[in-house]
């Protein structure tokens, strides 16, 4: 009898994504897509643009009072978003 090297499908897929260089862009996309869910519908309503550049989440907020309020909560926002994804994807948030 021979022994098969059986691996779980999620391990194989995770390794494939990592080797092919798709893991980081996939995690970044998941974080961007979760902005409205994590921050809530009111903040999502005032959000115009969300993207990641150099581990910094760039968010365009079209309400200056809300932008000022959120800028004081930057570290909490980073923690909430990274916790939602399960890994550290961003290190900072810039609101403009």
């Amino acid at each position: 009898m021979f022994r098969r090297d059986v691996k779980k499908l999620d391990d194989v897929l995770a390794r494939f994504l990592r080797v092919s260089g798709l893991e980081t862009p996939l995690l970044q996309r998941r974080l961007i897509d979760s902005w409205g869910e994590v921050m809530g519908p009111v903040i999502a309503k005032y959000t115009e643009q969300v993207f990641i550049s150099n581990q910094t989440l760039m968010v365009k907020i079209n309400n200056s009072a809300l932008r000022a309020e959120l800028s004081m909560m930057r570290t909490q926002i980073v923690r909430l978003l990274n916790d939602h994804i399960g890994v550290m994807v961003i290190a900072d948030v810039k609101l403009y």
Side-chain angles (χ1 to χ4, degrees):
M1 237 160 94
F2 60 95
R3 184 178 275 195
R4 293 183 185 195
D5 188 20
V6 179
K7 296 179 181 169
K8 292 170 42 175
L9 184 58
D10 60 344
D11 294 337
V12 173
L13 286 174
R15 180 165 163 59
F16 171 75
L17 290 173
R18 194 173 312 111
V19 168
S20 62
L22 297 172
E23 183 179 38
T24 300
L26 181 63
L27 290 171
Q28 290 176 343
R29 182 80 252 165
R30 286 178 53 203
L31 188 130
I32 290 168
D33 291 343
S34 69
W35 170 261
E37 181 182 340
V38 172
M39 299 307 293
V42 174
I43 293 173
K45 180 177 126 180
Y46 291 104
T47 302
E48 290 185 7
Q49 190 175 21
V50 181
F51 64 95
I52 295 176
S53 176
N54 297 328
Q55 288 189 327
T56 301
L57 183 68
M58 311 291 280
V59 183
K60 184 173 185 179
I61 304 288
N62 61 12
N63 183 306
S64 60
L66 180 61
R67 185 173 48 245
E69 183 75 26
L70 291 175
S71 67
M72 291 186 280
M73 301 172 51
R74 284 185 11 227
T75 56
Q76 292 92 341
I77 292 171
V78 168
R79 185 179 42 78
L80 283 171
L81 290 168
N82 283 331
D83 288 348
H84 185 75
I85 299 303
V87 291
M88 186 181 152
V89 178
I90 58 170
D92 196 14
V93 174
K94 182 177 179 186
L95 305 159
Y96 65 100

